[in-house]
Amino acid sequence: MSISDRILGKKNVNGKPHIEAVAPALALPGGEVRIIGKALRPHELRRPSVHFGDVEGSVLISSDDFLIARVPEEQRRGRLL
């Protein structure tokens, strides 16, 4: 699973979440990735969501500055959105 460079440094429409880095750059299904950034926690104190292609991954740990997500088993290849 490769991580798209086009998402790094991008912000959402309200200008809040900002992704600075994703590590590791490649992860197998069932593996974990760490997303580092700013304002990653939603304002409404909802759990953030992460998608690998069209499949939603599981957020294991989240804070304002980073989150750890598990790559879904169904995802065999594609890009992080």
Side-chain angles (χ1 to χ4, degrees), residues 20-48:
E20 296 175 355
V22 179
L26 301 171
L28 296 171
E32 297 173 1
V33 295
R34 180 179 176 128
I35 301 172
I36 302 166
K38 294 184 172 90
L40 298 176
R41 191 176 333 180
H43 292 288
E44 304 82 22
L45 297 177
R46 291 179 295 122
R47 182 174 216 141

Side-chain angles (χ1 to χ4, degrees), residues 15-76:
K16 279 309 246 172
H18 183 78
I19 296 172
E20 296 175 355
V22 179
L26 301 171
L28 296 171
E32 297 173 1
V33 295
R34 180 179 176 128
I35 301 172
I36 302 166
K38 294 184 172 90
L40 298 176
R41 191 176 333 180
H43 292 288
E44 304 82 22
L45 297 177
R46 291 179 295 122
R47 182 174 216 141
S49 64
V50 176
H51 289 81
F52 296 83
D54 293 333
V55 181
E56 187 168 358
S58 300
V59 175
L60 305 176
I61 300 172
S62 66
S63 74
D64 283 339
D65 300 328
F66 78 95
L67 64 86
I68 297 176
R70 178 161 291 134
V71 178
E73 292 291 337
E74 304 87 33
Q75 188 66 25
R76 296 292 176 220

